[in-house]
């Protein structure tokens, strides 16, 4: 890609914003993954229904992400039949 004139300003802005975004999200991920000092040994039990729902939603999300054609065809059929 060629860079002419004011495109350098856009490139520099892109690099700065990418660095700031990376810094922000890495700090956020670190804060989420780091356990609180006082809650090191407190484990909250999770109900089996919560585990089941989370597992089903995870499988559904992966299925739609890997095989989106079925969902797309269903939506197209619904849209066409609504006309």
């Amino acid at each position: 890609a060629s860079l002419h004139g004011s495109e350098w300003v856009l490139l520099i802005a892109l690099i700065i914003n990418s660095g700031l975004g990376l810094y922000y999200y890495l700090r956020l991920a670190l804060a989420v993954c780091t356990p609180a000092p006082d809650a090191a040994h407190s484990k909250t039990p999770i109900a089996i229904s919560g585990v089941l729902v989370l597992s089903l939603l995870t499988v559904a999300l992966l299925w739609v992400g890997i095989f989106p054609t079925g969902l797309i065809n269903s939506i197209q059929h619904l849209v066409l039949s609504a006309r």
Side-chain angles (χ1 to χ4, degrees):
S2 63
L3 295 173
H4 302 289
S6 65
E7 293 177 2
W8 283 103
V9 175
L10 294 175
L11 179 65
I12 292 170
L14 174 73
I15 292 170
I16 291 171
N17 284 328
S18 296
L20 290 173
L22 183 65
Y23 172 74
Y24 172 77
Y25 283 113
L26 285 177
R27 281 194 45 187
L28 183 65
L30 182 65
V32 168
C33 294
T34 305
D38 58 347
H41 296 290
S42 65
K43 297 273 185 173
T44 304
I46 300 174
I48 190 71
S49 61
V51 172
L52 180 65
V53 168
L54 186 59
S55 299
L56 288 174
L57 288 173
T58 302
V59 169
L61 179 66
L62 288 172
W63 184 266
V64 171
I66 295 171
F67 304 108
T69 309
L71 180 63
I72 292 171
N73 291 338
S74 298
I75 293 172
Q76 286 177 343
H77 179 18
L78 286 172
V79 168
L80 293 176
S81 66
R83 291 183 179 180

